[in-house]
């Protein structure tokens, strides 16, 4: 997790770096670090649930820049939490800090560097689509990244300060990696950047190289919190006099100059802790040695995976053996299976999503944790042999968990089946119950995809304004994303019985928030031209959701089957939508056709009462047949044009 303050400290001494023209090389990339820095440094919106399409395009440009310079990227991702729990205190404190940041971001509508929920999933999907070699570790990735780079004799790309300590062929800080400014030298392209070597650091501070891990351990690690002890060592006392503001890292480096071996330095450091008991000193010494071990480089466990596609063996630590099924190793390493499963199996807990949300609101994760697969099929399967189960069984477990049927999804294209099933689940479980405008906006985004995003982005750019974040709308969409993420992860565990949806095509935060505001204030403008295929897709999704709610309302729970009792169904509030309906349609160029569609839409607003779908449809269709018999020309035009979309 890095040496606190070391990155900033090194930045104050730029002579440690060397300017290089990086090209024609392998590059081991710290994936977790890259995700955060790319998203946060790009200026993309963080508070409305993520700008995934724009983030996807950014990742594509990054990979293209590398390949244009003959650079072969190998991305390594973090896995589960450390099974020894030695970093639990640090993780808990960082989770508390993220919750506070997320609350402040929601209240102030300001950027606090809170990563959107689906950004990591979308990052992995994009790399897979671009065929970028990628590996997910079983635990934290730093040591594996360093080991692989050491065996391949290539640099590491990251901003994690741990890589200032590992003895590597080279470390390229992302902050100085100018991938957006590719330059030419003759016929060769290169990326201007700065390179760090431990030898340069040690020469600059007159330090023996073997003392770097000792420096990191004494500066503070996840085993021993020296700075939090009752009487921590004041390293600033060893800073040269008159050398500006004293730094504890510089003071520690000055103190270490007198030593040549780590053991002697550690003994002397314990001597500075005179108030500690003998037993406590032994504990501190053990923690310091364990911290130093983190920087020893083993043989790479990922080299064989990248070359031959073979997953590394799972660690055989005490208490771990046999808890993780062998068949999961390869999909875990390929990042086709979320590493959350490791935390559940090894630690019986899971790290929950912490998006931008008001601290007084209930956790969004309560929505997605209310489901349980029915005993009918799930009870017949075991995790150890889940990969051998029939595909129909695995599909049924997923459908049971989401509360939908295979037949209800059959009319949809494969890529929309899981998102629509999740939306049905979300409408049933979300609290408070989402209103109709939220549902319409979600389905509009699902059905219209890129074209809608492009026109909306242009329109919002021209208007040069952004609506203030609505906490209630954000909370509802956060619940939907939590349901989608967990639905995708369950689908992965079950071997993808439904096609995994591409996140970048499903949701665009600033767009959906803007559309909700426009619907509610009657200011929605036309974003798309009429598209029969998209209209048909929208209507199919809406009909499925109507049917789902009708069945939930009319089907009693079985007496002999234990079920999860859903919250009481409430009719979605509609308000006076008549005026807005005239703006909601995807108008065609023909004014007469547009007028007819608007008229049909106003008549069809009754259909938005989900519980009354069947009776409303019957009445509407009878009325429509009557109108056609009285007006043959109208019937002819409707047949040529196709059914109008009814929101």
């Amino acid at each position: 997790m890095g040496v606190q303050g070391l990155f900033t400290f090194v930045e104050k001494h730029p002579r440690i770096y060397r300017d290089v023209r990086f090209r024609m090389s392998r590059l081991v990339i710290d994936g977790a670090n890259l995700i955060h820095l790319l998203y946060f440094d790009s200026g993309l919106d963080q508070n409305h649930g993520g700008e995934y399409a724009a983030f996807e395009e950014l990742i594509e440009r990054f990979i293209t820049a590398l390949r244009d310079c003959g650079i072969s990227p190998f991305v390594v991702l973090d896995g589960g939490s450390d099974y020894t729990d030695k970093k639990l205190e640090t993780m808990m404190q960082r989770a508390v800090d993220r919750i506070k940041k997320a609350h402040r971001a929601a209240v102030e509508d300001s950027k606090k560097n809170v990563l959107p929920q689906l950004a990591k999933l979308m990052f992995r999907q994009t790399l897979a689509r671009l065929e970028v070699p990628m590996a997910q570790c079983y635990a934290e990735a730093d040591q594996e990244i360093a080991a692989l780079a050491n065996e391949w004799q290539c640099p590491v790309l990251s901003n994690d300060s741990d890589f200032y300590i590992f003895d590597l062929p080279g470390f390229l800080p992302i902050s100085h990696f100018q991938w957006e400014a590719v330059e030419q030298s003759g016929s060769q392209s290169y990326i201007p950047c700065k390179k760090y070597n431990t030898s340069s650091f040690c020469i600059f501070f007159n330090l023996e190289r073997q003392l770097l891990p000792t420096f990191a351990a004494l500066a503070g690690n996840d085993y021993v919190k020296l700075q939090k002890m009752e009487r921590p060592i004041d390293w600033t006392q060893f800073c040269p006099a008159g050398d500006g503001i004293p730094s504890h890292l510089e003071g520690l480096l000055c103190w270490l100059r007198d030593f040549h071996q780590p053991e002697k330095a550690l003994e002397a450091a314990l001597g500075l802790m005179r108030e500690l008991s003998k037993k406590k000193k032994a504990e501190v010494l053990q923690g310091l040695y364990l911290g130093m071990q983190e920087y020893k480089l083993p043989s790479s466990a990922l080299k064989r995976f990248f070359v031959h596609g073979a997953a590394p063996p799972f660690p055989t630590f005490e208490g771990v053996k046999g808890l993780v099924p062998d068949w999961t190793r390869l999909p875990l390493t390929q990042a086709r299976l979320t590493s959350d499963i490791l935390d559940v199996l090894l630690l019986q807990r899971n790290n929950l999503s912490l998006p931008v949300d008001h601290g007084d609101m209930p956790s969004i994760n309560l929505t997605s944790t209310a489901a349980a697969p029915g005993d009918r099929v799930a009870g017949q399967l075991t995790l150890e042999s889940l990969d051998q189960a029939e595909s129909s069984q695995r599909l049924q477990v997923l459908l049971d968990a989401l509360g939908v049927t295979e037949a209800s999804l059959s009319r949809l294209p494969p890529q929309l089946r899981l998102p629509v099933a999740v939306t049905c689940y979300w409408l049933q479980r979300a609290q408070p119950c989402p209103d109709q405008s939220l549902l319409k906006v979600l389905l509009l985004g699902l059905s219209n995809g890129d074209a809608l995003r492009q026109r909306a982005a242009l329109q919002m750019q021209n208007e040069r304004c952004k609506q203030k974040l609505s906490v209630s709308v954000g909370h509802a969409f956060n619940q939907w994303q939590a349901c989608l993420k967990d639905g995708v992860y369950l689908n992965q565990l079950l071997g993808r019985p439904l096609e995994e949806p591409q996140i970048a095509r499903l949701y665009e935060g600033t767009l959906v928030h803007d559309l909700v505001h426009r619907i509610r204030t009657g200011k929605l403008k036309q974003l798309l031209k009429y598209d029969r295929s998209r209209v048909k897709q929208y209507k199919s999704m809406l009909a499925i959701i109507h049917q789902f709610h009708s069945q939930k309302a009319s089907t009693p729970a079985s007496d002999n089957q234990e079920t999860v009792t859903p919250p009481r169904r409430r009719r979605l509030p509609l308000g006076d939508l008549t005026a807005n309906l005239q703006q909601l349609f995807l108008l065609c160029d023909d004014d007469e056709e547009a007028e007819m569609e608007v008229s049909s839409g106003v008549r069809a607003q009754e259909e938005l009462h989900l519980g009354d779908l069947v009776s409303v449809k019957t009445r509407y269709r009878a009325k429509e047949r009557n109108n056609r018999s009285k007006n043959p020309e109208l019937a002819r035009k409707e047949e040529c044009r196709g059914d109008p979309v009814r929101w």
Side-chain angles (χ1 to χ4, degrees), residues 297-370:
L297 296 182
S299 59
S300 174
L302 293 180
K303 179 180 178 181
R304 188 162 175 260
F305 168 73
F306 279 123
V307 176
H308 301 293
F314 199 78
T316 56
F317 298 135
E318 184 179 353
V320 170
K321 187 176 181 180
L323 294 179
V324 181
D326 189 65
W327 67 265
T328 65
R329 290 191 300 116
L330 185 58
L332 277 169
T333 308
Q334 294 170 331
R336 289 176 52 81
L337 184 62
T338 174
S339 62
D340 287 355
I341 187 177
L342 295 174
D343 285 357
V344 173
L345 294 175
L346 301 178
L347 301 171
Q348 290 76 55
R349 65 170 183 260
N350 189 21
N351 293 320
L352 301 177
S353 299
L354 296 173
V356 172
D357 209 354
H358 198 285
D360 293 339
M361 304 290 280
S363 170
I364 62 163
N365 299 285
L366 294 174
T367 308
S368 65
T369 55

Side-chain angles (χ1 to χ4, degrees), residues 240-252:
D243 199 25
I245 300 176
S247 159
H248 77 283
L249 292 180
E250 185 165 5
L252 173 57

Side-chain angles (χ1 to χ4, degrees), residues 1-3 6 140 142 159-166 216 295:
M1 290 188 178
V3 179
L6 181 56
E140 192 172 289
D142 287 1
N159 255 23
D160 192 320
S161 56
D162 274 335
F163 295 109
Y164 287 116
I165 307 300
F166 286 112
Y295 299 103

Side-chain angles (χ1 to χ4, degrees), residues 21-29 62-74 132-133 154-155 157 172 177 179 182 189-193:
R21 298 178 174 184
F22 189 61
R23 62 182 180 87
M24 303 299 293
S25 171
R26 286 173 170 165
L27 179 64
V28 181
I29 299 176
F62 177 80
I63 298 300
T64 298
L66 296 183
R67 288 172 169 169
D68 286 347
C69 298
I71 300 168
S72 301
F74 294 83
V132 175
C154 70
L157 182 68
L172 308 179
F177 195 71
W179 64 272
V182 173
S189 298
Y190 65 88
I191 295 177
C193 59

